[in-house]
Amino acid sequence: MEPIVDVVGLRVLRRGVPALDGVSLKAYPGQIILVAGSSGSGKSTLASAMCGLFAGSASAADDAFNPPATVVEGHIRVGGLDPLRSGPAKMARRVGLLFQNPSSQLFCLTVRAEAEAGPRCAGLGEDEISSRTGDAMEAAGVTHLASRRPWELSSGEQQRAALAAALAMRPAALVLDEPTSHLDDPSCERLSEKLRRLAADGACIIVMEHRWDRLGLKPDITLEMEAGRVVAERRAGAPPPPLQSCAPCPGRRVQGGPPLLEFSCESLARGSARVLGGTSVRIGPGQRLAVVGPNGSGKSTLARAIAGLEGSGRSSRRGSGRVMLVQSNAAVQLLEDTVGAEIGDAETAEALGLGGLLERPPTCLSVGQQMRVVIGAALASRPDVLILDDPSIGQDARSLARMLDCTDRALGDTGARVIMTHDARFAALGADEVYNVTDGAIGQ
């Protein structure tokens, strides 16, 4: 049997720095492959290479004196095609990719149009397009969002919409880059069930993930990556790679005096959809709060409203505290040419696990590393209230622990931290007071 994915000795250099160094992988029809590894270990680079996103990149031998920004060497075939020559348009018929940042692969005016786009560009008939679109949207759990605008959705809903677009192409291989990062637990269970069915039907599934336990899959092969290399390979039946643990937040004693910020609203909307109402939040010195809710419950809208960036609805905001918001899509907040220029403080960068990356362009980092860069930049402004919207995206347990410890130390007993998350386990670690979003309202 021929493998669907055949990678041998793949090496990728970005601006002279190895992102992948001699990676090999074979994946056959019906197999589920897990690629585990910490933030920045090379998982996303491997996913991009398999899907043709490095097409046209030169080899090191092509121009030794003036090397291009991305250099790719080694053998790679997916569905019989060479992704380095075919490019993403041709590869889309053979392999579907779910990006770690779903908003970067959504372009159409509605969720249904997103799911239809691939089959329509492939020249399929209307009946086939309708059949594929319906099946894919149902599998991804976005049928009820068919007429919604993608940019009005939560990050978790966007991730499911992007998954529907990939599934509609019915590719022989499906590559998912950190698919649990934006999803609540019910969505993870739905995704796991769909992946098992796809594998049973003969598709090859490759999952890049450090929170692999949330999917509940039993992979045929598990590759463990670190610093761009495969450091271990486990076959079916072998013990899974150990999961790192993250120590709980030590908690902070709320200081006396007036609150840093008080927020209340009668209603909050995102685009044309009302998402929250009857909400009141008081943030005092030393507090560590978390707001927990499923995808689409309004956490990001609330975060923006508390920060004074969301004017859609009827709300009021009082208090003299300086507020900084780190959004779930960290890439939109990157402004400087280097990590050091973004953060501005080498000690903070070291505390966030970024000390060796100060001269690197932030755009060349993993999604998890970019999130920590933006958090470091936010801390540099010395906020009284730091709001983190889904900060666990792209983070392994060690990175989460560093993030919590660094922000705790920077904010001290006088500053407050608010975490918006769909992950109740992370909320318990990062907060001493948890609010839950239920039926469009927030309560403890």
Side-chain angles (χ1 to χ4, degrees):
M1 182 187 299
E2 291 293 322
I4 295 177
V5 176
D6 186 13
V7 179
V8 181
L10 183 62
R11 191 165 184 258
V12 177
L13 288 85
R14 285 180 162 174
R15 299 182 184 273
V17 178
L20 293 179
D21 195 0
V23 172
S24 297
L25 164 66
K26 289 185 186 294
Y28 293 86
Q31 282 191 324
I32 296 177
I33 311 295
L34 170 65
V35 182
S38 59
S39 176
S41 60
K43 302 186 302 296
S44 296
T45 303
L46 178 57
S48 298
M50 289 189 289
C51 297
L53 298 185
F54 295 144
S57 296
S59 69
D62 289 340
D63 193 345
F65 297 101
N66 185 28
T70 301
V71 172
V72 183
E73 300 174 328
H75 169 88
I76 179 169
R77 294 291 185 275
V78 180
L81 296 180
D82 180 354
L84 300 180
R85 296 181 179 275
S86 299
K90 287 185 179 179
M91 294 307 302
R93 298 184 182 221
R94 310 293 177 93
V95 55
L97 172 62
L98 178 64
F99 287 147
Q100 196 172 354
N101 178 7
S103 64
S104 63
Q105 64 185 118
L106 298 173
F107 305 98
C108 298
L109 296 179
T110 67
V111 171
R112 179 179 295 281
E114 288 286 353
E116 292 176 342
R120 197 171 295 283
C121 289
L124 301 181
E126 289 299 325
D127 289 345
E128 181 67 10
I129 291 173
S130 178
S131 174
R132 289 190 179 204
T133 299
D135 290 346
M137 291 178 62
E138 182 178 0
V142 294
T143 303
H144 66 294
L145 301 173
S147 61
R148 292 283 301 279
R149 299 180 179 93
W151 59 88
E152 292 180 358
L153 304 180
S154 71
S155 58
E157 290 170 329
Q158 287 179 340
Q159 194 164 38
R160 301 206 310 265
L163 176 62
L167 292 176
M169 291 298 289
R170 296 183 180 171
L174 185 63
V175 179
L176 308 176
D177 188 9
E178 303 279 8
T180 71
S181 59
H182 298 270
L183 299 183
D184 53 35
D185 288 342
S187 298
C188 282
E189 293 173 6
R190 185 186 298 111
L191 175 60
S192 178
E193 180 183 354
K194 177 61 180 176
L195 295 181
R196 285 193 290 266
R197 280 190 313 216
L198 287 171
D201 290 338
C204 164
I205 311 296
I206 301 177
V207 180
M208 282 50 183
E209 184 64 81
H210 55 254
R211 293 288 305 277
W212 51 265
D213 59 314
R214 296 192 69 209
L215 279 175
L217 296 173
K218 295 181 179 180
D220 298 285
I221 299 174
T222 298
L223 301 180
E224 296 178 56
M225 292 188 65
E226 196 59 53
R229 292 176 172 267
V230 175
V231 297
E233 180 175 332
R234 301 168 187 260
R235 296 284 169 170
L243 285 167
Q244 300 169 348
S245 60
C246 179
C249 173
R252 292 279 173 176
R253 181 176 61 84
V254 178
Q255 304 297 301
L260 298 171
L261 191 67
E262 290 183 293
F263 175 83
S264 62
C265 75
E266 296 179 32
S267 68
L268 279 177
R270 181 158 189 162
S272 58
R274 178 182 181 274
V275 293
L276 284 174
T279 296
S280 179
V281 178
R282 181 186 186 277
I283 303 172
Q287 283 189 307
R288 302 293 184 263
L289 310 179
V291 178
V292 181
N295 297 145
S297 59
K299 303 184 300 297
S300 296
T301 303
L302 177 62
R304 289 177 56 81
I306 293 175
L309 301 177
E310 186 67 59
S312 181
R314 297 188 298 277
S315 63
S316 63
R317 180 175 173 271
R318 298 185 300 277
S320 57
R322 178 179 172 83
V323 181
M324 288 297 297
L325 168 65
V326 175
Q327 301 181 68
S328 59
N329 183 2
V332 303
Q333 295 181 262
L334 296 171
L335 304 174
E336 302 292 344
D337 293 332
T338 66
V339 170
E342 283 283 357
I343 298 177
D345 178 61
E347 186 175 345
T348 299
E350 186 67 36
L352 289 168
L354 303 167
L357 304 174
L358 295 179
E359 300 303 318
R360 295 280 299 277
T363 53
C364 291
L365 304 184
S366 72
V367 169
Q369 290 169 327
Q370 288 179 346
M371 174 66 76
R372 281 178 276 140
V373 169
V374 175
I375 289 174
L379 291 176
S381 68
R382 302 187 182 278
D384 298 304
V385 179
L386 178 65
I387 304 174
L388 305 177
D389 188 10
D390 258 341
S392 63
I393 291 173
Q395 310 298 332
D396 55 67
R398 185 181 295 111
S399 298
L400 285 176
R402 283 172 166 164
M403 179 195 304
L404 294 177
D405 183 64
C406 181
T407 54
D408 269 336
R409 291 176 183 273
L411 295 168
D413 290 329
T414 58
R417 183 181 64 212
V418 183
I419 293 173
M420 308 292 179
T421 181
H422 53 263
D423 190 341
R425 288 173 292 182
F426 174 55
L429 296 173
D432 46 30
E433 195 171 348
V434 178
Y435 290 79
N436 292 284
V437 181
T438 306
D439 298 327
I442 290 181
Q444 288 182 286

